[in-house]
Amino acid sequence: MKSIVALQDAVTPWSDGLEPLDAELDAIEWELPLILAEVDLLDAEITVLDRTPSEVDERRIRRARRKVLAARRDLTNQAVAAAGMAGGAA
């Protein structure tokens, strides 16, 4: 019986550079409120995929959309403030 062996190196060889950088982790942490708001919106939308949305479902989706918009507004204002520019998104 012949053994099957890969003739090439692995597509992604293991190296120390595969871990996320501190700057990448900071960016994820900075955007976490938006990420969580988008997850809430997605969850609300998935809930009504296979049925007609009730009034409670519609309120939940509207609330989740407002939460996403507020998180985007806050991140935009923080980015503008960090860049030292005058004015903001809201």
Side-chain angles (χ1 to χ4, degrees):
M1 178 183 264
K2 290 169 56 175
S3 62
I4 300 173
V5 180
L7 299 177
Q8 300 175 354
D9 290 339
V11 175
T12 308
W14 185 256
S15 73
D16 294 333
L18 290 179
E19 296 295 321
L21 302 174
D22 289 339
E24 293 170 331
L25 292 173
D26 290 341
I28 292 170
E29 185 176 342
W30 185 68
E31 292 180 355
L32 194 58
L34 176 59
I35 294 167
L36 294 175
E38 289 176 337
V39 167
D40 287 344
L41 176 58
L42 186 60
D43 184 47
E45 291 173 339
I46 288 172
T47 301
V48 297
L49 278 179
D50 60 347
R51 62 185 167 94
T52 303
S54 67
E55 186 177 331
V56 173
D57 293 329
E58 290 174 358
R59 278 188 274 162
R60 181 178 177 209
I61 291 171
R62 282 195 307 268
R63 190 178 323 116
R65 284 183 181 147
R66 285 193 304 267
K67 190 175 175 183
V68 167
L69 291 173
R72 285 182 184 164
R73 180 199 62 218
D74 293 344
L75 286 178
T76 301
N77 286 338
Q78 289 174 10
V80 168
M85 297 179 192

